[in-house]
Amino acid sequence: MPDTIEDRISAEYPTLSGQLRRAADFVAANPVDVATRSLRAMAQSSGVSPATFSRLARTLGFEDYESLRETQRAAMGERLVPYAQRAEELRRGDQAPQTFLHRQAGVCSQNIALLERTISGERLSAAVDALHDAGKVLLVGLLGSAGIADYICYQAQYFARNWAVAGRSGSSLAASFASMSPGDAVIVLTKAPYARDSIRAAQVARANGFRTIVLTDSHTCPALEVADHPFIVPSQTANFFSSYTATLVLIETMMSMLVSRVGPEAEARIRATEEQTRQLTEV
């Protein structure tokens, strides 16, 4: 069974009717309301009938809507208070620099805490196994995810020779895929608004038998439908732009796990890379 309510929604989303999708979208977008308000209040706010929310809960594998609500309450935990505090700060309109820092740092901390609670060790290990066993690993990141993909590849190349970023150094996405074989791995990073080429890359990767890992921010991301290893990463922000903080924590965790599995040859490559870096930067 998927780890969170949003994971369950993403797994069932392609098969949901229009009304159930409306209910699912509301549940995913309003976790605090789900955890704290009655079914009747939810129905009034959303325009979706109580019966539809109850039907959604059963479709997602819950006994009833109350079971879904209790699960959301447990998942929210201490996040309920910080949301209220942030709302109060926004209402006061405090423009002090320290307030901006406190607000953004608080949201990012909550994202990381939620990531830690909701990503199971089994799911994480399965994705790392796919990366470890792959002959090649290709990273796909466009729009705001482009710099993150470059950073991951830069880090991976310290201990591995088989990682690359798709569509870099003048090559096209198609050329990047042409050098791949079944059993290789593709990591797709995409957040709203989802780049069409990123979604297409995930679909092509799956069709060609590549192990597909998708890191995204919502159950509505079309790439989740074809992911072997889907991850919906908390990306809330006090800024105008989706936060990548928790995504980086997840990625860096995967990197650490990979290094621990590769063994002495990885350590030797890291030492050699560090030595070359030292020589190149010596004055």
Side-chain angles (χ1 to χ4, degrees):
M1 180 64 68
D3 298 320
T4 68
I5 290 175
E6 191 166 52
D7 285 328
R8 296 190 190 201
I9 289 173
S10 69
E12 298 292 339
Y13 201 73
T15 65
L16 296 180
S17 67
Q19 278 296 101
L20 286 179
R21 283 195 176 193
R22 283 186 62 196
D25 290 343
F26 191 87
V27 166
N30 299 276
V32 176
D33 286 348
V34 173
T36 61
R37 302 179 69 195
S38 68
L39 177 55
R40 179 177 296 181
M42 289 281 290
Q44 291 175 345
S45 296
S46 65
V48 177
S49 71
T52 301
F53 280 113
S54 296
R55 192 163 68 252
L56 173 68
R58 292 192 295 272
T59 300
L60 299 180
F62 296 99
E63 183 178 349
D64 50 28
Y65 182 80
E66 187 61 29
S67 297
L68 183 152
R69 187 167 71 155
E70 287 300 320
T71 298
Q72 188 60 52
R73 284 175 177 168
M76 291 298 297
E78 70 275 7
R79 290 198 302 158
L80 295 176
V81 173
Y83 274 133
Q85 289 175 347
R86 291 201 303 274
E88 184 179 355
E89 290 170 355
L90 289 171
R91 181 178 59 80
R92 288 201 310 263
D94 189 345
Q95 300 298 308
Q98 197 65 23
T99 299
F100 282 101
L101 175 61
H102 173 73
R103 186 180 301 141
Q104 184 65 18
V107 175
C108 291
S109 295
Q110 297 295 341
N111 287 340
I112 294 170
L114 182 58
L115 174 76
E116 187 176 7
R117 288 198 303 270
T118 57
I119 301 297
S120 70
E122 291 79 5
R123 173 182 290 197
L124 192 54
S125 292
V128 172
D129 285 343
L131 296 173
H132 180 260
D133 295 339
K136 293 181 180 178
V137 178
L138 188 67
L139 289 151
V140 178
L142 302 173
L143 302 179
S145 298
I148 306 299
D150 288 336
Y151 167 69
I152 301 169
C153 191
Y154 176 82
Q155 187 175 154
Q157 287 176 348
Y158 265 80
F159 63 87
R161 303 174 186 272
N162 61 336
W163 287 59
V165 180
R168 296 294 192 272
S169 302
S171 66
S172 65
L173 279 172
S176 298
F177 276 112
S179 64
M180 304 280 285
S181 302
D184 288 345
V186 176
I187 302 175
V188 177
L189 291 91
T190 182
K191 300 195 179 189
Y194 309 112
R196 180 179 300 176
D197 284 350
S198 292
I199 305 306
R200 185 59 182 154
Q203 295 167 339
V204 170
R206 180 64 176 270
N208 281 277
F210 309 148
R211 305 304 294 174
T212 308
I213 299 170
V214 173
L215 308 181
T216 189
D217 59 353
S218 170
H219 66 281
T220 62
C221 175
L224 289 172
E225 296 181 27
V226 295
D228 296 299
H229 305 281
F231 292 92
I232 300 174
V233 185
S235 302
Q236 296 301 312
T237 182
N239 186 16
F240 69 96
F241 200 81
S242 181
S243 173
Y244 280 83
T245 305
T247 302
L248 285 171
V249 170
L250 178 59
I251 290 165
E252 290 171 352
T253 299
M254 289 180 175
M255 294 294 103
S256 297
M257 293 173 69
L258 281 169
V259 170
S260 71
R261 296 185 187 196
V262 173
E265 61 268 31
E267 297 174 17
R269 180 170 172 82
I270 291 171
R271 282 195 296 270
T273 302
E274 287 178 330
E275 175 60 22
Q276 293 298 321
T277 300
R278 185 190 63 78
Q279 293 182 25
L280 288 169
T281 56
E282 278 185 344
V283 178

